[in-house]
Amino acid sequence: MNLLVVGGAGYIGSVVTEELVRGRHSVIVLDDLSTGHRDAVAPLAYLVKGAIGDAARLREAFTTKEIDCVIHLAARSIVSDSVADPEGYEEANVRQGTILLDAMKEHGVSRIVFSSTAAVYDASAPMPLRETSPLVPGNPYGWTKLRFEEILRERARADGMRYVSLRYFNVAGASIDHGEDHRRETHLIPLLLDAALGAREAVPVFGSDYPTQDGTAVRDYIHVVDIAEAHVRAIRYLMEGGASATLNLGAERGLSVREVIGWVERVTGRGVPTVEAPRRAGDPPSLIASSEEAGRVLGWRPQWGDIDTIIETAWTWRQRYPEGYAE
Ligand SMILES: NC(=O)c1ccc[n+]([C@@H]2O[C@H](COP(=O)([O-])OP(=O)(O)OC[C@H]3O[C@@H](n4cnc5c(N)ncnc54)[C@H](O)[C@@H]3O)[C@@H](O)[C@H]2O)c1
């Protein structure tokens, strides 16, 4: 198949691209490298450097090969930034995304896999969250993802587009060659690993007064390789004529920040300095998935679910690449 991975130079996109190339698909990556890296793109994939709002680069991406399916991972995705700049997030995650959908229509491409998020849910709903749980995002980032899901539904009705929206929970871990390297890191596990390496001062624990077992925020951590496998299955599902679907992807268990710190210390054998800090704007107390529906529709089950495996793979990658990607 010929696949266009938008955002394929990013953390998750690079692992998705790696899996697709390994499956002998022909992969074109469109990425503006705003938070991604040229070196993160699998060597057998063809990189078009450009933004999804750039008509010329979009044309290049859609005409290099006849595209069978688009995988859309490109977004701004830092919750606290979205609180500070909701309009910028609307522009990047919604309006720019519709330019991509217009280009798909123009080039006769009707299938898309979209990276959505647990942030679309009302975090005060009972856990675990199911696809039928109430949708009330707690921050502008979540609202932009929910709005784009609605646009996909509208396009499906109007233009016959078919989509799979994958609502990831907290993605973590690494493959052998690809890991998490954000120049402005906000994710807990890479921050803790950097501190374990001595490359960072104490890691802030944002909020220790949440209504959770130890007062710190609880999240559902899912391995990036499992996420990539769900994309492979979602593409196959759409190619075989599957109906549009919206699916959670999580490991179905919650771990508090303090529990993750303990696991990082055990896996690395090093102490990790942390410091208590106030809650971060837009962060809910707890997010835990039910992934039953993804099992039913895609036959997907996490294979790398244990937190020690997730941390171990991220740690191995970080030790191999202590400075991250080259540029
Ligand atoms: N990391 C997580 O835990 C998580 C959880 C839920 C959802 N998501 C979603 O998954 C997707 C990927 O997340 P990630 O953690 O890999 O982020 P990332 O920042 O590492 O990757 C995003 C990639 O998209 C590119 N990009 C951004 N805006 C672009 C634009 N306008 N045009 C072209 N390229 C652009 C960036 O350069 C980067 O390579 C995002 O849509 C994010 O919202 C991530």
Side-chain angles (χ1 to χ4, degrees), residues 50-322:
I52 46 180
D54 181 332
R57 297 283 78 77
L58 272 175
R59 199 170 316 111
E60 183 185 348
F62 277 102
T63 52
T64 301
K65 289 269 170 91
E66 202 172 303
I67 302 296
D68 293 303
C69 184
V70 169
I71 299 93
H72 175 30
L73 303 111
R76 290 178 68 185
S77 58
I78 298 179
V79 167
S80 54
D81 276 3
S82 80
V83 174
D85 180 21
E87 290 83 16
Y89 267 66
E90 175 79 15
E91 168 63 24
N93 294 357
V94 181
R95 210 189 67 80
Q96 298 266 318
T98 61
I99 297 174
L100 174 67
L101 298 182
D102 291 344
M104 285 176 63
K105 187 175 177 187
E106 187 189 329
H107 294 279
V109 182
S110 61
R111 305 173 197 91
I112 182 167
V113 179
F114 171 60
S115 302
S116 189
T117 169
V120 296
Y121 289 111
D122 177 353
S124 66
M127 300 291 145
L129 294 162
R130 300 180 186 282
E131 290 78 357
T132 48
S133 295
L135 297 168
V136 186
N139 51 62
Y141 164 66
W143 279 109
T144 63
K145 292 287 184 174
L146 185 57
R147 177 68 193 121
F148 199 75
E149 283 192 0
E150 283 163 7
I151 291 171
L152 287 176
R153 255 191 304 281
E154 287 159 15
R155 298 277 174 132
R157 266 197 301 272
D159 303 334
M161 176 172 277
R162 280 180 304 118
Y163 63 86
V164 175
S165 278
L166 297 173
R167 292 179 179 158
Y168 320 154
F169 281 62
N170 278 55
V171 185
S175 70
I176 297 294
D177 292 324
H178 297 106
E180 190 158 12
D181 175 17
H182 293 124
R183 292 295 134 103
R184 218 183 112 222
E185 192 55 80
T186 58
H187 292 149
L188 180 64
I189 292 175
L191 287 173
L192 293 171
L193 293 178
D194 265 5
L197 266 182
R200 182 181 291 278
E201 310 272 284
V203 177
V205 174
F206 294 109
S208 38
D209 56 350
Y210 283 112
T212 58
Q213 67 263 30
D214 61 17
T216 63
V218 167
R219 294 290 181 272
D220 183 337
Y221 295 88
I222 176 78
H223 201 291
V224 68
V225 172
D226 281 329
I227 292 284
E229 170 63 20
H231 286 75
V232 171
R233 286 170 184 260
I235 295 163
R236 195 184 309 141
Y237 168 83
L238 287 174
M239 292 305 294
E240 288 171 355
S244 294
T246 300
L247 305 169
N248 286 346
L249 297 179
E252 306 191 307
R253 53 107 178 77
L255 290 166
S256 74
V257 171
R258 281 202 212 293
E259 285 174 316
V260 173
I261 294 168
W263 277 107
V264 167
E265 292 188 327
R266 273 192 289 282
V267 169
T268 62
R270 302 181 186 198
V272 178
T274 58
V275 57
E276 294 206 354
R279 293 182 184 193
R280 232 171 5 187
D283 267 356
S286 188
L287 292 169
I288 304 168
S290 160
S291 297
E292 247 176 60
E293 191 66 1
R296 199 182 60 74
V297 175
L298 302 179
W300 176 85
R301 299 256 178 294
Q303 303 296 314
W304 299 74
D306 299 341
I307 190 66
D308 48 343
T309 308
I310 289 176
I311 293 169
E312 233 168 72
T313 55
W315 179 233
T316 302
W317 188 82
R318 199 64 192 164
Q319 286 177 298
R320 264 184 90 189
Y321 302 99

